[in-house]
Amino acid sequence: MIPRAVRKPLAILVAVLALVVVVPVLGAGGFLLWLRQQTPAYEGAATVPGIEGPVEILRDRNAVPHIFAATERDAYFALGYVHAQDRLWQMETMRRSGAGRLAELVGTRFGDWALRLDRSMRTLGVYRRAEEAYEELSPEARTAFDAYAAGVNAWMATRREALPIEFQLLRHTPEPWRPADSLVWGKLMALQLSGDSRDELFRASALKSLTPEQMRDLFPDSDPTAPVTLAAALDGMNLQGALAALPDLGFDTASNEWALTGARSATGKPIIANDPHLGLEAPILWYLARIVTPEHRIAGATIPGVPLHILGHNGRVAWGFTTTHSDTQDLFIEKLDPQDPGRYLTPDGSAAFETRQETIRIAGQPDETLTVRETRHGPVLTTPDAADAAPEGHVLALAFPGLGAADTTAEALYRLNHAADAAAVREALFLHVAPQQNVVYADTAGTLGFLSPALVPVRRGGDGRVPVPGWTGEHDWIGYIPFDALPQAVDPPSGQFVNANNAVVGPGYPYALATEWPDPARAERIVQLLGDGPHTVEEVAAQQMDELSLPARDLLPLMLEPLRSVPDLNGQARAALDRLAGWDGRMDRDRPEPLIFSWWERELVRRVFADELGPLFQSYWDLRPRALHRVLTQAPQWCDDRMTPAREDCTAMLASSLKSALAEIERRHGTDMNGWRWGAEHKAALNHRLLGRVPLLGSMFDLSIPTGGGAFTVNRGTTRVRDPQEPFSHVHGPGLRAVYDLADLGNSRFSIATGQSGNPLSPHWGDLVQGWRDGAGLRLAGDRGTLARDGATLLTLSPTLSLVHISGPPGLRRISDSGFCLDKKDGREADRGV
């Protein structure tokens, strides 16, 4: 995943390089030939250093690798090898983002975006924490990370094809892979999925001009009984400066999961559905893979750069994740010691900062040295962007368990990958630190469980919703919610668990998890779909594609009714209202009604809230059905535009926003309403963030496709409505879908949004796009013979050293002291010792 802050400027850089260097020199034809030569070899034999015995990698017709190895170590080695073959640029961008080393690659010729991100990552110490996490691994888990890194490096050292095009354009040769490079991804995701610090700054900014009652109008799902406090020290804060100092990794997070006990399924065993929602791009974040060894089998979704399966099943248990949206970050305003500005105040007196120097290399410029400080709460936002974020004489520090020294989250995932049953899943998750996730899990014996593991702070005082003083101690963390008290259950009487980022606990829960929760509409719809009857695996997979928007169905009558008596609406507006009156709320890509409604809602949010929020509105601007519902039913005062002398009511706002929306749709799609389509605007943004902007050739890197769904449907299609050019581009959603059949885990289904390859001219660059859009699923199963008969290719990895008296996997025979080949006879395997 390329962080949002990196994408556009780096794309401009690549486009310029391509225009100036690649296109004139190579020409379009030579450019295409060059790309084709980079397609990695999926067949044949390779002799590689660092492997202990022969490994067979069978790629099925969708290029999903099925890795057959005699040991786990060699299997993890092979996974690193295939990740590097298919997604090395994605891996390189990920590790450099976490290490704060992007400016070293691209410099500042095209803006300071890379340098700013580097400063944030160095300030937070993300890569240092990843290195410390490696030291927390057990010997078994450390072996997996070491072997994976060796596999990545083996491909880079022995590859026959050129490096991926992105490396060529930037004239960059990657360094050897380190285990910490793999662990840094977990740190990036922990920051992205725990972004409450940004919410704290928005709330603090809004409370300067809005009352607590107005805040509850803006966020109707917040706890109406929770206090809203504003620390006195906030008065001197530059909140926008503080916001700029935090890394923008894209806090668009949501997911779905539901799980049925055997009593609620047609199979008699549990079924789990899970689709995590993150930013869409090409290639997609996810990479499907399967590992088979004598002691360990696992299949599902991996992340290039990481040796473990993030989501999947191991033949005995299956699991899925959603983000809890709990409050696990706090911003503390630290007061400098008036007698010594090199120290800060604590309840026990003056204390010294922990200080270190970070050297940031910048391509084409001198190095920059950054002095980083940490307090007892966490790293101080000391980048130039945050120079005046805190009031004079103060600094701002971020507290977050994911930046702690003893982070065992990777160990938890390793143990989850190896869990033998539901009880072992719970034991593994005891070690999970950050981000907090809602985990559904089940085993083949039929046990179904739910658990929200993480270190969640318990505060001495305050609700965690705004930055607070750090020198008094009154808001300090005094511990974490005990593991046994975290939200959890096993074998629910209802026969189901459902979570779509909705609240996981009710008002009686004794600890504070969050004061606000995402809109519960997706969870409500899933509960409707499940009803009372038993369900098949096929039915559950179909439920993942549901496109009915409950908020649209609930809000639309409130928008339509006041306009029935408005006399001055033109014919186009009347026709639009008639269409919407007969619409059932389904976000069908081939219908005009979702387009009309969504644009109308976008305009209505702007007209209702922009005048009160002023500069803050851009951060708030989104589809806000619950806030609009509250305005139209309980808080009509928001409809008065404070920027005009006249007093407007909600009917006037509805009429003017409808006219404005229809005018914009006509401008973009013509006057014939019958020809309007939601999918004309709502396209999954599956384009290469860098290469997609190459002049003349950009379209060949674009896999975007019209999709249905919306921000509040189970088949989620989130948009960024504040974007003036593409407000309804489908930029965020279920890049992965999975359904697990605990009666037959080989019958589980998986789907990713693009293809396995990161090479735009590979046949597997975008071969899964349409199937993903339309709800098709892949099965990751089969022995060697079955896979071969179904057209799988075979790549055999063999060690460089001479092997004597070592048995290799079935199907191999010696061809030299250092090489092996598959013994194929009518698809049958030859079990011969080597």
Side-chain angles (χ1 to χ4, degrees), residues 572-775:
Q572 188 79 316
R574 290 294 178 194
L577 294 176
D578 289 342
R579 280 185 174 274
L580 291 175
W583 180 48
D584 63 0
R586 295 186 185 275
M587 305 294 288
D588 186 331
R589 67 177 183 270
D590 294 324
R591 298 293 304 170
E593 292 87 354
L595 179 62
I596 299 169
F597 174 78
S598 297
W599 217 300
W600 187 10
E601 183 180 2
R602 174 184 188 264
E603 283 298 299
L604 185 59
V605 169
R606 183 177 66 82
R607 289 175 181 267
V608 169
F609 298 113
D611 54 329
E612 281 87 353
L613 290 178
L616 288 173
F617 177 69
Q618 283 296 317
S619 297
Y620 181 78
W621 198 6
D622 206 339
L623 299 177
R624 301 280 183 177
R626 290 186 177 258
L628 288 178
H629 192 285
R630 185 176 179 88
V631 167
L632 295 176
T633 58
Q634 301 177 50
Q637 66 272 13
W638 285 87
C639 290
D640 180 33
D641 187 347
R642 299 196 311 174
M643 308 305 292
T644 66
R647 185 172 182 82
E648 294 86 3
D649 59 16
C650 290
T651 299
M653 282 289 185
L654 286 164
S656 62
S657 58
L658 176 62
K659 292 176 183 177
S660 177
L662 292 175
E664 184 61 20
I665 298 174
E666 288 182 6
R667 186 183 70 81
R668 296 165 73 104
H669 301 288
T671 58
D672 183 6
M673 193 177 296
N674 292 319
W676 296 353
R677 296 289 181 269
W678 175 231
E681 293 280 351
H682 193 257
K683 296 180 180 179
L686 300 174
N687 56 302
H688 196 296
R689 303 299 183 184
L690 280 66
L691 304 179
R693 297 177 182 269
V694 174
L696 305 179
L697 301 175
S699 61
M700 67 178 289
F701 307 117
D702 191 352
L703 301 173
S704 299
I705 187 172
T707 55
F712 306 102
T713 60
V714 177
N715 182 22
R716 194 162 187 258
T718 308
T719 61
R720 193 167 290 127
V721 300
R722 65 180 69 102
D723 185 335
Q725 303 302 321
E726 297 180 320
F728 296 110
S729 176
H730 180 181
V731 297
H732 178 268
L736 165 73
R737 297 191 187 95
V739 178
Y740 303 99
D741 180 0
L742 274 297
D744 175 11
L745 282 167
N747 187 43
S748 301
R749 320 292 171 82
F750 301 91
S751 177
I752 62 172
T754 55
Q756 290 283 96
S757 177
N759 185 327
L761 284 189
S762 165
H764 302 293
W765 159 250
D767 55 330
L768 302 180
V769 172
Q770 186 165 334
W772 166 80
R773 192 270 307 272
D774 296 339

Side-chain angles (χ1 to χ4, degrees), residues 49 71 94 155 217 229 251 258 300 321 327 333 337 359 375 387 410 420 433 491 547 553 603 657 768 778 807:
T71 67
M94 177 271 289
W155 180 81
D217 290 339
T229 58
F251 187 56
W258 59 101
F321 292 169
D327 185 351
I333 306 165
D337 185 343
T359 300
T375 74
V433 172
D491 295 332
E547 295 177 350
R553 196 172 63 179
E603 283 298 299
S657 58
L768 302 180
L778 312 178
S807 295

Side-chain angles (χ1 to χ4, degrees), residues 48-49 51 55 57 59 65 67 72-89 91 143-158 177-178 182 287 289-291 302-309 795 797:
V48 293
I51 201 169
V55 175
I57 302 170
R59 280 185 170 87
I67 298 170
E72 279 191 40
R73 184 199 177 281
D74 282 355
Y76 286 120
F77 179 102
L79 184 61
Y81 190 94
V82 298
H83 276 173
Q85 278 189 305
D86 285 325
R87 302 282 191 91
L88 188 62
W89 175 251
M91 297 164 62
T143 295
F145 280 83
D146 290 345
Y148 179 89
V152 175
N153 293 329
W155 180 81
M156 288 196 288
T158 63
W177 195 264
R178 302 178 63 223
S182 296
Y287 183 94
R290 177 177 173 233
I291 286 174
T302 67
I303 301 295
V306 182
L308 305 177
H309 279 68
L795 174 64
L797 303 183

